[in-house]
Amino acid sequence: MDIYFLSIAVITGSGFISLIATRNGKAATVIGASGAVAGCLLGLYSAINALLGGGFSYKGYWWAPFGSLALNVDSLSAFFMLPLFTVCGVAAVYGAGYLWHDAGKRRLGPPWFFFNLLVASMAVVTAAANGVLFLVAWEVMSIASFFLVMFDHHKPETRHAGFVYLVATHLGAAFIFALFAILASGAGSLDFADFQGGLTPWTATAIFILALIGFGSKAGVVPFHVWLPEAHPAAPSHVSAVMSGVMIKMGVYGIFRTLTFLGAPEIWWGGLLLGIGIVSGLFGVIMAMGQRDIKRLLAYSTVENAGIILLATGLGVMGVANGSATLSALGFAGAFFHIWNHSLFKSLLFMGAGAVLHETGEKNMEKLGGLIKRMPYTGALFIFGSVAICGLPPLNGFAGEFIIYLGAFHSLSAKTGLIVASAPVVAIAGLAVIGGLAVAVFVKAAGVVFLGEPRSSQAGQAHEPGLRMTGAMTALAALMGFTALFAPAFPRFIAGPVSMMTRQDMLISVETLEWAGQSLFSVNAGLILTLVIIAGVTLIRKAALGERNVRRAITWDCGYSAPTARMQYTGSSFSQPAADFFAITLRPSKKLDMKQTIFPEGASFSSSVSDVVDEKLYGGLFRQGEKLAIGAQKIKAIYANTYIFYTAGALIALLAWGFGVFQ
């Protein structure tokens, strides 16, 4: 417990000191980043200790109404702290290199203050055991990340992204407020320990729906994802890595924690989670296919992966509702495994994209290309992350999705009802289609950015970033390799949080997860044996040809012996067939510039896609909201006293309802 508090103190304390030292950008960077790294190492030790059975509770006095400093780090909290402290510590190192060149140009104290505040607030969110404390930490997390998104506030697109993020995050928070109000009205307290049981089915369903909307907004699932493709490209790349790799997981944590308050789940809750997961996965990966901005592509890929996590969670909830121990254990285990894996490979990919942006000043893929020759180390790491996120063997992304497939296939052979029996079929089909499209997305991203010839002078003059940025990316890649190598042992490692979510005896979860680990070991052993055979054949061939005189020549090039960037695929041309196939979702707009002559001197083609959910749903809501705001402004201007009266009355009525005065 002391280590946890020390971790929070080091992170926040160094953030405040960096704010004081804001006039010296390098000093602020060194203090902020080193404090974050030291605090994250301490927090990681505390989290691993708690996950291995050393959890702790603390309750202190707090003068806030209905609030208390109640903290409880159980195995569920500890698991979510693992990616939190791991990714944030690595991102701090990367951020020090990323922002270093800005040290003499702008004040870096505020960005490091808000970065450290974001890390500390997320650590409190995962440990809070009182509704008021949770909501305060949640709001601090949202506000700190908002100021980080606004780092380049002089750009109009950044201000737009900040506005969308601020509105979306507070709309989501309103549903979480309502959720805690209902829980408190039934329990008579806002302490989590008092929330257990005693809810009617209708009340439990209402709380589940509120959690799905409120926390789903932070998790970035469709249709609450609209802030994500705006905020991630606008934020500095180490912040994008933290927001995508860690912060959206706070939404998933909120859903998981709420499920522990609600007793036995309804089976349709799992079906709803499964359906939203598949829709989010498909929508995210299709939208990623049509993007030209590499960070925006990665942001939509995050929507896709949030969908995979919800898909696995849906299987787990259906298993709990139906009494299927294997489906529930493997469903939640797959979700936990994918949470950890996604935090690693998505952070690596955002850092890779950030290195490209840092060195070229470009994130438009149409102006990149050929970077593998100029940034070979960054290119290799980006391709490594791309293979992992596609779920291809033998990397860690494959291991996580294998657990989900294993649970779904196993339940197919079990004697269950029609709904539970059909859910795995839907999950398998959805996951397979998402995986196939993800391969196409990342072939496009890696191919257009790193292969071929440069499409701009910036790309042609690029070089590797500094040691801090490459070192941070290498650390994440090493963790991914470690996870892939020891993946068969991972299911056993998460038996504690799986047991909490499935409400099963720990021994039952351990038995199921050990069986899953053995299955994964068998598959991995086969893959490794295949790789060893390929390597052996390659060495034998090389030895056999070693004494021979081998003549080397270029392949037939159809007369194009001097390739240029105009001969190769752009991002738009690569994804055009897919954009046409998914035109209903992508709504592509094309622009062809070509003179109608016999021998036109030049021609160009470009296409862009739009988010139909953003345009049709939120565009209309924002327009109606603007009209209401203008109307409310008129009322306020004419009848100021009445306006204040209405506002105070509404607040009092909400508080009274929340605490059961009208019952």
mmCIF file of all heavy atoms in Angstrom, residues 459-481:
data_model
loop_
_atom_site.group_PDB
_atom_site.id
_atom_site.type_symbol
_atom_site.label_atom_id
_atom_site.label_comp_id
_atom_site.label_asym_id
_atom_site.label_seq_id
_atom_site.Cartn_x
_atom_site.Cartn_y
_atom_site.Cartn_z
ATOM 1 N N ALA A 459 10.175 13.380 -46.898
ATOM 2 C CA ALA A 459 10.371 11.933 -46.750
ATOM 3 C C ALA A 459 11.744 11.521 -47.258
ATOM 4 O O ALA A 459 12.375 10.610 -46.702
ATOM 5 C CB ALA A 459 9.270 11.180 -47.497
ATOM 6 N N GLY A 460 12.218 12.192 -48.295
ATOM 7 C CA GLY A 460 13.516 11.847 -48.855
ATOM 8 C C GLY A 460 14.682 12.213 -47.964
ATOM 9 O O GLY A 460 15.780 11.657 -48.100
ATOM 10 N N GLN A 461 14.471 13.162 -47.041
ATOM 11 C CA GLN A 461 15.558 13.624 -46.170
ATOM 12 C C GLN A 461 15.418 13.120 -44.732
ATOM 13 O O GLN A 461 16.127 13.582 -43.844
ATOM 14 C CB GLN A 461 15.584 15.160 -46.165
ATOM 15 C CG GLN A 461 15.881 15.752 -47.541
ATOM 16 C CD GLN A 461 15.618 17.240 -47.599
ATOM 17 O OE1 GLN A 461 15.308 17.858 -46.585
ATOM 18 N NE2 GLN A 461 15.733 17.825 -48.781
ATOM 19 N N ALA A 462 14.511 12.203 -44.507
ATOM 20 C CA ALA A 462 14.250 11.742 -43.129
ATOM 21 C C ALA A 462 15.415 10.908 -42.604
ATOM 22 O O ALA A 462 16.214 10.355 -43.370
ATOM 23 C CB ALA A 462 12.973 10.908 -43.106
ATOM 24 N N HIS A 463 15.538 10.850 -41.294
ATOM 25 C CA HIS A 463 16.525 9.989 -40.654
ATOM 26 C C HIS A 463 15.958 9.512 -39.326
ATOM 27 O O HIS A 463 14.890 9.973 -38.893
ATOM 28 C CB HIS A 463 17.855 10.727 -40.460
ATOM 29 C CG HIS A 463 17.697 12.052 -39.782
ATOM 30 N ND1 HIS A 463 17.493 12.186 -38.433
ATOM 31 C CD2 HIS A 463 17.688 13.314 -40.291
ATOM 32 C CE1 HIS A 463 17.389 13.465 -38.123
ATOM 33 N NE2 HIS A 463 17.496 14.167 -39.226
ATOM 34 N N GLU A 464 16.667 8.607 -38.676
ATOM 35 C CA GLU A 464 16.166 8.013 -37.431
ATOM 36 C C GLU A 464 16.041 9.064 -36.323
ATOM 37 O O GLU A 464 16.863 9.993 -36.244
ATOM 38 C CB GLU A 464 17.119 6.911 -36.957
ATOM 39 C CG GLU A 464 17.106 5.660 -37.801
ATOM 40 C CD GLU A 464 15.853 4.817 -37.601
ATOM 41 O OE1 GLU A 464 14.944 5.257 -36.886
ATOM 42 O OE2 GLU A 464 15.793 3.724 -38.172
ATOM 43 N N PRO A 465 15.011 8.929 -35.468
ATOM 44 C CA PRO A 465 14.916 9.848 -34.320
ATOM 45 C C PRO A 465 15.983 9.522 -33.282
ATOM 46 O O PRO A 465 16.769 8.592 -33.451
ATOM 47 C CB PRO A 465 13.505 9.594 -33.802
ATOM 48 C CG PRO A 465 13.235 8.171 -34.166
ATOM 49 C CD PRO A 465 13.942 7.941 -35.476
ATOM 50 N N GLY A 466 15.977 10.254 -32.183
ATOM 51 C CA GLY A 466 17.004 10.072 -31.147
ATOM 52 C C GLY A 466 16.851 8.779 -30.365
ATOM 53 O O GLY A 466 15.888 8.013 -30.535
ATOM 54 N N LEU A 467 17.821 8.571 -29.481
ATOM 55 C CA LEU A 467 17.906 7.317 -28.721
ATOM 56 C C LEU A 467 16.703 7.126 -27.802
ATOM 57 O O LEU A 467 16.233 6.008 -27.608
ATOM 58 C CB LEU A 467 19.203 7.314 -27.907
ATOM 59 C CG LEU A 467 19.490 6.040 -27.112
ATOM 60 C CD1 LEU A 467 19.610 4.839 -28.036
ATOM 61 C CD2 LEU A 467 20.774 6.207 -26.283
ATOM 62 N N ARG A 468 16.198 8.228 -27.202
ATOM 63 C CA ARG A 468 15.078 8.074 -26.265
ATOM 64 C C ARG A 468 13.829 7.561 -26.983
ATOM 65 O O ARG A 468 13.097 6.719 -26.450
ATOM 66 C CB ARG A 468 14.783 9.411 -25.575
ATOM 67 C CG ARG A 468 15.739 9.730 -24.441
ATOM 68 C CD ARG A 468 15.661 11.178 -24.039
ATOM 69 N NE ARG A 468 16.197 12.037 -25.084
ATOM 70 C CZ ARG A 468 16.574 13.293 -24.915
ATOM 71 N NH1 ARG A 468 16.464 13.853 -23.735
ATOM 72 N NH2 ARG A 468 17.041 14.006 -25.901
ATOM 73 N N MET A 469 13.600 8.048 -28.205
ATOM 74 C CA MET A 469 12.410 7.602 -28.939
ATOM 75 C C MET A 469 12.579 6.167 -29.441
ATOM 76 O O MET A 469 11.675 5.341 -29.293
ATOM 77 C CB MET A 469 12.126 8.571 -30.090
ATOM 78 C CG MET A 469 11.691 9.952 -29.600
ATOM 79 S SD MET A 469 11.601 11.214 -30.906
ATOM 80 C CE MET A 469 10.282 10.590 -31.913
ATOM 81 N N THR A 470 13.720 5.865 -30.030
ATOM 82 C CA THR A 470 13.926 4.490 -30.508
ATOM 83 C C THR A 470 14.031 3.513 -29.336
ATOM 84 O O THR A 470 13.572 2.370 -29.425
ATOM 85 C CB THR A 470 15.188 4.399 -31.374
ATOM 86 O OG1 THR A 470 16.293 4.952 -30.651
ATOM 87 C CG2 THR A 470 15.024 5.149 -32.676
ATOM 88 N N GLY A 471 14.639 3.968 -28.226
ATOM 89 C CA GLY A 471 14.749 3.093 -27.054
ATOM 90 C C GLY A 471 13.378 2.740 -26.485
ATOM 91 O O GLY A 471 13.127 1.590 -26.105
ATOM 92 N N ALA A 472 12.470 3.746 -26.436
ATOM 93 C CA ALA A 472 11.115 3.480 -25.922
ATOM 94 C C ALA A 472 10.384 2.491 -26.824
ATOM 95 O O ALA A 472 9.723 1.562 -26.339
ATOM 96 C CB ALA A 472 10.336 4.793 -25.837
ATOM 97 N N MET A 473 10.508 2.680 -28.139
ATOM 98 C CA MET A 473 9.840 1.751 -29.061
ATOM 99 C C MET A 473 10.423 0.339 -28.930
ATOM 100 O O MET A 473 9.693 -0.661 -28.987
ATOM 101 C CB MET A 473 9.967 2.264 -30.493
ATOM 102 C CG MET A 473 9.141 3.520 -30.767
ATOM 103 S SD MET A 473 9.104 3.992 -32.513
ATOM 104 C CE MET A 473 10.752 4.630 -32.757
ATOM 105 N N THR A 474 11.739 0.271 -28.756
ATOM 106 C CA THR A 474 12.388 -1.037 -28.600
ATOM 107 C C THR A 474 11.901 -1.743 -27.336
ATOM 108 O O THR A 474 11.679 -2.970 -27.335
ATOM 109 C CB THR A 474 13.906 -0.866 -28.542
ATOM 110 O OG1 THR A 474 14.329 -0.145 -29.705
ATOM 111 C CG2 THR A 474 14.624 -2.201 -28.503
ATOM 112 N N ALA A 475 11.710 -0.981 -26.275
ATOM 113 C CA ALA A 475 11.235 -1.572 -25.022
ATOM 114 C C ALA A 475 9.851 -2.196 -25.205
ATOM 115 O O ALA A 475 9.577 -3.305 -24.718
ATOM 116 C CB ALA A 475 11.202 -0.511 -23.923
ATOM 117 N N LEU A 476 8.970 -1.481 -25.915
ATOM 118 C CA LEU A 476 7.629 -2.033 -26.158
ATOM 119 C C LEU A 476 7.694 -3.287 -27.028
ATOM 120 O O LEU A 476 6.993 -4.273 -26.781
ATOM 121 C CB LEU A 476 6.742 -0.977 -26.818
ATOM 122 C CG LEU A 476 6.287 0.179 -25.926
ATOM 123 C CD1 LEU A 476 5.520 1.213 -26.731
ATOM 124 C CD2 LEU A 476 5.412 -0.332 -24.782
ATOM 125 N N ALA A 477 8.553 -3.239 -28.070
ATOM 126 C CA ALA A 477 8.694 -4.419 -28.933
ATOM 127 C C ALA A 477 9.232 -5.609 -28.139
ATOM 128 O O ALA A 477 8.799 -6.754 -28.342
ATOM 129 C CB ALA A 477 9.611 -4.091 -30.104
ATOM 130 N N ALA A 478 10.168 -5.338 -27.222
ATOM 131 C CA ALA A 478 10.714 -6.421 -26.396
ATOM 132 C C ALA A 478 9.637 -7.012 -25.499
ATOM 133 O O ALA A 478 9.559 -8.241 -25.312
ATOM 134 C CB ALA A 478 11.878 -5.883 -25.555
ATOM 135 N N LEU A 479 8.780 -6.159 -24.933
ATOM 136 C CA LEU A 479 7.681 -6.660 -24.101
ATOM 137 C C LEU A 479 6.704 -7.499 -24.923
ATOM 138 O O LEU A 479 6.165 -8.503 -24.440
ATOM 139 C CB LEU A 479 6.944 -5.480 -23.452
ATOM 140 C CG LEU A 479 7.608 -4.890 -22.206
ATOM 141 C CD1 LEU A 479 6.912 -3.594 -21.797
ATOM 142 C CD2 LEU A 479 7.544 -5.888 -21.050
ATOM 143 N N MET A 480 6.482 -7.080 -26.169
ATOM 144 C CA MET A 480 5.601 -7.867 -27.043
ATOM 145 C C MET A 480 6.214 -9.240 -27.321
ATOM 146 O O MET A 480 5.519 -10.264 -27.302
ATOM 147 C CB MET A 480 5.373 -7.107 -28.356
ATOM 148 C CG MET A 480 4.493 -5.886 -28.202
ATOM 149 S SD MET A 480 4.617 -4.764 -29.618
ATOM 150 C CE MET A 480 4.189 -5.847 -30.958
ATOM 151 N N GLY A 481 7.525 -9.252 -27.586
ATOM 152 C CA GLY A 481 8.192 -10.532 -27.812
ATOM 153 C C GLY A 481 8.159 -11.410 -26.576
ATOM 154 O O GLY A 481 7.921 -12.627 -26.666
#
